[in-house]
C-alpha cells in the first residue's frame, strides 16, 4: 500500500527487533528459566529498556520529515 520495498523495511527495523530481543533474552528468558519471578523481571526489563533508549537514542528533527503531499507514488 505504501510502495515500500520489503527488504528496505526489514533492514531499517532489524536493529530495533534485535535490540528488544537481546534485552528480553538477557533480562527475561534466562533469569525466568533460573527461577526468578516474572513480577521482578518485568519492571527490571522496562527500566533497562528506558535507560538504554535514552542513552543511545537520537532525537528526531520534526521539521524535516516528509508529508504525504511531498511524496510521489511510482505508478
Amino acid at each position: 500500500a505504501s510502495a515500500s520495498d520489503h527488504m528496505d523495511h526489514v533492514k531499517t527495523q532489524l536493529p530495533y527487533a534485535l535490540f528488544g530481543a537481546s534485552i528480553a533474552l538477557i533480562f527475561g528468558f534466562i533469569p525466568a528459566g533460573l527461577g526468578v519471578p516474572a513480577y521482578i523481571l518485568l519492571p527490571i526489563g522496562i527500566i533497562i529498556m528506558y535507560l538504554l533508549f535514552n542513552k543511545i537514542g537520537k532525537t528526531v528533527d520534526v521539521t524535516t520529515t516528509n508529508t504525504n503531499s511531498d511524496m510521489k507514488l511510482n505508478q
Side-chain angles (χ1 to χ4, degrees):
S2 65
S4 174
D5 183 44
H6 174 70
M7 288 310 296
D8 288 340
H9 176 69
V10 170
K11 288 178 187 175
T12 59
Q13 297 303 306
L14 194 59
Y16 299 107
L18 292 175
F19 179 76
S22 62
I23 297 300
L25 180 69
I26 295 169
F27 296 102
F29 295 127
I30 293 174
L34 296 173
V36 180
Y39 62 85
I40 294 174
L41 295 176
L42 188 59
I44 290 173
I46 292 170
I47 292 168
I48 295 295
M49 289 286 279
Y50 176 79
L51 293 174
L52 288 176
F53 271 123
N54 281 329
K55 177 143 178 81
I56 64 174
K58 296 179 182 176
T59 306
V60 177
D61 184 17
V62 180
T63 60
T64 61
T65 58
N66 291 334
T67 62
N68 287 337
S69 62
D70 295 336
M71 298 170 55
K72 294 181 181 178
L73 296 176
N74 296 329
Q75 296 181 0

